[in-house]
Amino acid sequence: AATEPEGSRYTLQPGIPSVRQAVADDLSSAYAASVADDDIVITAGCNQAFCAVINAVAGPGDNVVLVVPFYFNHDMWLRVEGIDPRYVHPAQDLVPTADEIAAVMDERTRAVTIVTPGNPSGAITPPERIAEIAELCTARDVALVLDETYRSYRGTDEPAHRMFDIPTWRDTVVSLHSFSKDLAIPGYRVGAIVAGERLRVEALKILDCVTICAPSLGQLAVETGLRECGDWRAAQAERIIGLQHAFEATMAERPGRFELVGAGAYFGWVGHHRDRPTVDVVKQLLVDHSVLTIPGIAFTPEDEGMIRFSFANLDLDDLPELGSRLGELP
């Protein structure tokens, strides 16, 4: 494809038709539901998908609900656009309830954002909880934005939710997807919006002012990956789940007083239990112990003494060494 003239031209703005069909087929299989190619807009990565969706439904002075800990790019984009982030702090298991979300909503709320599995928490929002939150969003006439970047790393082949079974899902639900992790092509920049026509039309206006269309070669790589690489995708998902279990076993010993609060997908959400700024702890881990992490303050409104660990690129043999290095921190 890289040697053909078509590979260097614009594609149809919503995406190459065969690519949209491949994504629709993949989603229909994964969710045991019917998702049509017309429901899909291909984007230059999932971050762009989120930005386009938010700009399609909200503007300065509006607000959008985020669950703490949130994905930092979501919070950043809302602030850049003058949109107020409304934070929900789940009381249990890092997963919000519909009542907790309703408590921070008002007449200017335009969307509720759920990242599942979570980044940085790894928390998985169960299908029944998603259904409850969707009912709330439908009643309030706001969008439910589900960022499902890490849906393949849940340790199950069961559908992540049953929203696509509801005939009216297009009125409320927006599902965002990434192919960076699933197909190991982050530099190709390909994601997807799955939504009803009203939102897709508005999102396409935003995309027309930015990239016009997702890169054609990246789109073709996604089509090939979805059609031909099912066994490889499954093996990668199994490898990541194995790393998660090994990471959980390492952290169960609470090395260096570090406490695992949540784990899933690529990430561990860890409390450091030290009476000093988290940024200082993260610097010491890096400089003195060669452990690279991200301070939790990137994902929370205030410093809560948390750190995000990403274990996806480790080998199983690295986990005992990680425990030893954490145990050396005073």
Side-chain angles (χ1 to χ4, degrees):
T3 65
E4 295 296 325
E6 286 298 320
S8 59
R9 293 173 180 161
Y10 292 126
T11 75
L12 292 175
Q13 198 188 9
I16 298 170
S18 60
V19 177
R20 294 168 71 200
Q21 187 62 60
V23 173
D25 292 344
D26 183 66
L27 295 177
S28 296
S29 175
Y31 291 84
S34 179
V35 178
D37 57 341
D38 283 344
D39 294 322
I40 292 164
V41 171
I42 304 298
T43 59
C46 194
N47 268 340
Q48 187 186 67
F50 176 81
C51 295
V53 166
I54 291 302
N55 282 81
V57 302
D62 292 333
N63 66 73
V64 170
V65 176
L66 299 181
V67 179
V68 179
F70 45 73
Y71 176 47
F72 51 70
N73 282 154
H74 291 174
D75 187 67
M76 289 167 63
W77 187 249
L78 296 181
R79 293 176 177 278
V80 164
E81 295 299 287
I83 300 168
D84 181 27
R86 293 290 179 88
Y87 301 123
V88 172
H89 298 260
Q92 290 186 328
D93 302 325
L94 301 170
V95 175
T97 66
D99 287 342
E100 289 172 330
I101 291 171
V104 302
M105 298 173 72
D106 62 20
E107 69 279 358
R108 296 303 299 267
T109 303
R110 299 291 179 256
V112 173
T113 302
I114 304 292
V115 183
T116 178
N119 177 2
S121 68
I124 296 172
T125 305
E128 60 273 15
R129 187 67 56 84
I130 292 175
E132 293 169 3
I133 297 169
E135 288 183 11
L136 168 66
C137 290
T138 298
R140 300 290 185 95
D141 193 27
V142 304
L144 172 58
V145 181
L146 301 173
D147 185 328
E148 304 189 68
T149 294
Y150 298 96
R151 68 179 172 90
S152 296
Y153 307 104
R154 295 174 296 116
T156 177
D157 291 329
E158 290 297 310
H161 55 75
R162 294 292 185 178
M163 291 295 97
F164 298 135
D165 290 335
I166 301 173
T168 58
W169 71 264
R170 295 169 181 86
D171 296 338
T172 301
V173 176
V174 184
S175 182
L176 307 182
H177 295 269
S178 168
F179 305 102
S180 296
K181 280 73 180 179
D182 260 20
L183 299 174
I185 52 171
Y188 281 52
R189 307 312 305 140
V190 190
I193 298 169
V194 187
E197 182 180 15
R198 183 178 60 172
L199 186 141
R200 294 198 316 273
V201 167
E202 298 305 314
L204 284 170
K205 297 175 185 178
I206 305 299
L207 297 176
D208 193 52
C209 298
V210 188
T211 55
I212 301 178
C213 61
S216 58
L217 295 182
Q219 292 191 55
L220 294 172
V222 164
E223 181 179 5
T224 301
L226 293 180
R227 298 289 190 202
E228 306 294 339
C229 301
D231 290 344
W232 184 88
R233 290 172 71 196
Q236 284 296 100
E238 185 176 355
R239 181 183 69 84
I240 296 297
I241 294 298
L243 282 168
Q244 176 188 333
H245 292 160
F247 178 79
E248 290 170 331
T250 295
M251 299 307 296
E253 303 297 325
R254 297 191 65 181
R257 293 181 287 125
F258 287 89
E259 180 182 9
L260 183 63
V261 175
Y266 280 28
F267 309 114
W269 189 235
V270 176
H272 61 75
H273 295 295
R274 282 161 175 82
D275 189 21
R276 52 196 170 105
T278 299
V279 170
D280 292 346
V281 178
V282 167
K283 286 181 179 178
Q284 187 175 13
L285 280 172
L286 177 60
V287 174
D288 295 340
H289 304 279
S290 296
V291 175
L292 177 60
T293 60
I294 295 182
I297 188 62
F299 309 92
T300 58
E302 299 176 348
D303 191 344
E304 299 179 1
M306 303 297 295
I307 298 174
R308 191 194 80 170
F309 285 69
S310 180
F311 47 75
N313 287 322
L314 299 179
D315 294 323
L316 285 173
D317 294 342
D318 294 328
L319 272 305
E321 176 65 19
L322 172 63
S324 296
R325 295 188 189 190
L326 294 179
E328 295 171 355
L329 199 72

